[in-house]
Amino acid sequence: MKKWITVLAVAALAIGVLSGCGSSSEDKAAAAKAPITVTEGKDEGAVLRIAAQPYPLYTSVYVAHNLGYIDEELSKVGAKATWTEFKSGPLVNEAVAANEADLGFMADLPAIIAKSQGHDISIVSNIAYGEKALAVLVPSSSSVTSVADLKGKKVAYAKGSYAQHLLAQLLEKEGLTLDDVQTVNLNAAEQVTALTTNEVDAIVIWEQYITKLTSAGQARVLADGTGIKRGNMINYFVTSYADKHPLVVLAYLRALNRANELIKSDPDKAAEVTYQNFGISKEEMKKVLKNLTFTTALNDDDIKAITEVKDFSKKVGIIQDDVNMDNFIDKRYIDALSKK
């Protein structure tokens, strides 16, 4: 019976969106945002293709994956998952655009860029946030002592990543723009090599690399996101997939909530089961976890921060087309779980 209720609910939603020429765009948007009321049942044979990134910013997802929480929760609704790893958010976006993935998790900016380019995606939850988990690093011996000193210098970051947004904000505070530095577009691993071989003057990078490089004495933090950038990591689903498979979305979020509870109650175990995924020691992993708060909740501060990223990115030209955040952020799934 629950299975049929689920099918009917999804069908009714589809009919509401596709029906009659007399429906206004506002009516269609309202129908698309109808509350998720069916939270139990089966979606037999559904497959969730997860596009992952091996960074401790997403520790909760890796805990859920490594400890089998995702498989367990999906199996309860008759579904299963596949798992493919990518080196950055922009590469995840490419996989989603090529219809090779249904779910991507990443930082705020690459998700916003994808949406601004017309991708059929919706943010359904937070993963984590942390102002100190993203930073500008310089070699320990560098003469650079302020962001203003970066003018004319070679600065490496992954274009389209949330590192680009932090750097743009930091430069703006000094009356500078991205055009005032020599941009070198490198992925995270390439940035480490470039910094340690003095090929660039600075890098803008995230954890695990901040802890790894500073602990080894190879770099120091010039500036991080403290007081500037909340640094939200989010989950987005392909909207059409989520509409068709709401029980899969809810099962995935349940798995993450289980992982979040473990991180809070037993951070040592969380570090133990994930540190090898990120190429750092267990002790380094424990340090990294202190710089992040893991939660699926999307509260007012999170939504404000993500919206500010969008507004700033539009202002400085990182994105060309604006994004309707009311349509982009879809809290229906986490709201449904919170009512259980």
Side-chain angles (χ1 to χ4, degrees):
M1 177 62 72
K2 289 179 179 177
K3 178 179 178 180
W4 281 109
I5 291 172
T6 302
V7 172
L8 290 171
V10 173
L13 179 60
I15 292 168
V17 172
L18 297 174
S19 63
C21 296
S23 298
S24 68
S25 59
E26 290 80 7
D27 290 339
K28 292 177 181 179
K33 292 290 185 179
I36 303 296
T37 57
V38 180
T39 59
E40 296 179 356
K42 292 288 185 179
D43 191 351
E44 294 288 355
V47 177
L48 175 61
R49 299 172 298 172
I50 300 173
Q53 294 185 65
Y55 303 115
L57 307 169
Y58 315 110
T59 295
S60 58
V61 187
Y62 274 80
V63 167
H65 176 61
N66 292 350
L67 293 181
Y69 297 165
I70 293 176
D71 288 339
E72 290 172 10
E73 294 299 329
L74 288 179
S75 68
K76 292 176 183 178
V77 300
K80 63 181 180 179
T82 64
W83 180 275
T84 306
E85 291 189 339
F86 299 87
K87 291 183 177 179
S88 70
L91 293 178
V92 170
N93 287 336
E94 289 179 13
V96 170
N99 192 29
E100 296 172 354
D102 309 303
L103 161 67
F105 47 84
M106 61 187 62
D108 44 33
L109 180 58
I112 290 167
I113 290 174
K115 187 66 174 180
S116 75
Q117 293 173 342
H119 292 198
D120 174 36
I121 56 175
S122 298
I123 294 174
V124 301
S125 83
N126 230 336
I127 292 179
Y129 60 88
E131 294 181 331
K132 293 184 178 297
L134 176 67
V136 180
L137 301 184
V138 295
S140 297
S141 59
S142 174
S143 61
V144 173
T145 59
S146 70
V147 173
D149 292 340
L150 294 176
K151 184 175 182 178
K153 298 287 197 295
K154 289 183 178 180
V155 182
Y157 57 90
K159 278 191 175 183
S161 72
Y162 83 139
Q164 182 177 7
H165 176 240
L166 175 64
L167 179 61
Q169 285 184 297
L170 291 169
L171 290 171
E172 185 181 58
K173 288 185 65 179
E174 302 297 332
L176 303 171
T177 71
L178 292 170
D179 292 334
D180 290 307
V181 300
Q182 298 181 55
T183 293
V184 183
N185 184 20
L186 299 175
N187 67 38
E190 292 169 339
Q191 288 181 53
V192 172
T193 300
L195 188 75
T196 55
T197 57
N198 295 310
E199 295 175 23
V200 297
D201 299 295
I203 61 176
V204 194
I205 204 164
W206 45 82
E207 292 288 17
Q208 63 271 22
Y209 301 103
I210 298 170
T211 293
K212 192 168 185 177
L213 288 168
T214 56
S215 296
Q218 294 176 296
R220 56 183 169 83
V221 174
L222 182 68
D224 59 28
T226 301
I228 300 172
K229 184 172 178 61
R230 187 172 175 85
N232 287 85
M233 308 296 132
I234 58 85
N235 283 297
Y236 78 55
F237 273 80
V238 173
T239 306
S240 56
Y241 180 93
D243 288 345
K244 185 177 180 181
H245 303 286
L247 294 179
V248 173
V249 179
L250 294 172
Y252 170 77
L253 294 177
R254 287 189 183 99
L256 262 60
N257 286 338
R258 289 173 62 184
N260 290 337
E261 287 302 317
L262 178 71
I263 293 170
K264 291 175 185 176
S265 64
D266 195 348
D268 284 356
K269 183 175 180 180
E272 175 66 36
V273 300
T274 57
Y275 76 91
Q276 292 180 329
N277 292 110
F278 312 127
I280 56 178
S281 70
K282 182 179 176 181
E283 291 306 309
E284 287 171 334
M285 184 67 202
K286 289 164 68 174
K287 290 181 181 179
V288 170
L289 290 179
K290 294 178 181 178
N291 288 335
L292 290 154
T293 299
F294 293 93
T295 177
T296 56
L298 276 168
N299 62 32
D300 290 344
D301 288 339
D302 299 309
I303 294 172
K304 178 183 177 183
I306 296 169
T307 302
E308 287 174 351
V309 174
K310 184 270 295 184
D311 291 341
F312 184 86
S313 300
K314 181 70 168 62
K315 182 180 75 172
V316 301
I318 295 175
I319 62 173
Q320 302 304 312
D321 296 324
D322 206 353
V323 172
N324 183 324
M325 300 303 287
D326 290 335
N327 290 335
F328 188 24
I329 297 177
D330 188 349
K331 292 182 59 182
R332 294 177 303 152
Y333 300 95
I334 54 175
D335 286 347
L337 287 182
S338 68
K339 294 175 183 176
K340 287 290 290 179

